[in-house]
Structures are given as C-alpha cells and as structure tokens.
Amino acid sequence: MNYNEIVKQWFLKFGECCNSRDFESARKLVSSEVCSFGTKVDLVTNLSDLEKQQWQNIWPYIEDFEFLVDKLIANGNDELAWGITPWSSVGYDAEGNSFDRPGRATVILKRFRNEWLAIHTHFSLIPGTPYTTFGIKE
C-alpha cells in the first residue's frame, strides 16, 4: 500500500474543501471523534467543534490555500497513516491588505473499512505570521 499517496490525496481533497469553503465535503474526510489543534483552537475532541471553532473562523477569511504536497513526508501501516506538509495561503489585515500566510500541518488517518479519515489534525502558522485575518474588504 502506498501510504504517501493515501496521505497526499487526503491533503489535496481537504485543501480543495478549504479553498471552496465546502464544509460538508470536509466533514466526510474527518472522523467524528477527531482530536485537533489549530491556528484558532487550542484543543477540540470532536468534528462539530473543529468545524465551528477552527474551519468557520479561518476558511472564509483566507484565499489561495494550498498544501505543498511536493514536500510531504508520510508513512503508515494497514490501520494508520500519517503525514506532515507545509501549506500556503493569503490572509488580509484590518485594512484589507493581503499578506502571505504560510503554515504546516500534521494529519493522522485511520482506516475505516476502505476509507481513510483524519483522527488527528494539527495546523499551525509559521512563527512570525499574523494570526488574525479579516478577509477581503468589500
């Protein structure tokens, strides 16, 4: 089994969900009992809180989110797979000026029959990157 490809495909699908703000499709990639850290949330232990406290507070306010999967490091076994990769995005300050918003992500996937779902995610910004993004000013 090619765990690098499994994790890469998960990151690519999740990144598409982030860019299109498709919360419904993103939920299908994550276990309901996920444990997670993020740029907005210290610790959550379920999918509902992850979506409400992290995704909904970031995705609408950024643009051009992309996992840099050419730098992916991944491995696994028949039950679990893991991966780490950097990501890039664009944030906006209070005046509407854009800034680079790079970060890094870790995911642990668990195999549920033939599906690989995230049981842990951790997203963090590169040190020195502004934590607050306000979105594009209209």
Side-chain angles (χ1 to χ4, degrees):
M1 198 171 289
N2 185 340
Y3 302 106
N4 193 70
E5 189 61 27
I6 289 167
V7 175
K8 177 181 176 181
Q9 289 306 312
W10 187 93
F11 274 125
L12 291 173
K13 289 175 190 171
F14 195 79
E16 289 173 10
C17 293
C18 179
N19 263 328
S20 62
R21 296 164 180 87
D22 185 351
F23 299 106
E24 182 178 341
S25 294
R27 285 192 299 271
K28 295 175 184 175
L29 298 171
V30 179
S31 167
S32 62
E33 297 176 357
V34 66
C35 295
S36 188
F37 305 103
T39 55
K40 283 283 186 189
V41 65
D42 290 335
L43 174 66
V44 293
T45 58
N46 64 74
L47 178 55
S48 178
D49 287 344
L50 178 60
E51 179 181 347
K52 287 177 193 167
Q53 295 177 32
Q54 176 69 31
W55 301 351
Q56 291 183 9
N57 287 312
I58 297 292
W59 296 5
Y61 307 102
I62 63 172
E63 300 289 330
D64 301 326
F65 183 89
E66 180 181 16
F67 288 109
L68 307 177
V69 294
D70 58 321
K71 298 181 179 182
L72 173 69
I73 299 170
N75 208 331
N77 59 40
D78 288 343
E79 185 178 328
L80 296 173
W82 62 266
I84 62 173
T85 194
W87 47 267
S88 64
S89 66
V90 175
Y92 297 88
D93 66 18
E95 288 77 41
N97 300 305
S98 65
F99 61 89
D100 289 334
R101 193 175 172 279
R104 56 265 169 113
T106 302
V107 65
I108 300 173
L109 305 176
K110 182 175 181 179
R111 187 176 183 176
F112 294 89
R113 293 185 196 90
N114 289 328
E115 285 186 299
W116 290 89
L117 302 179
I119 59 171
H120 171 73
T121 62
H122 184 175
F123 284 68
S124 60
L125 293 164
I126 298 296
T129 304
Y131 273 87
T132 304
T133 178
F134 296 89
I136 298 173
K137 285 217 171 218
E138 305 267 333

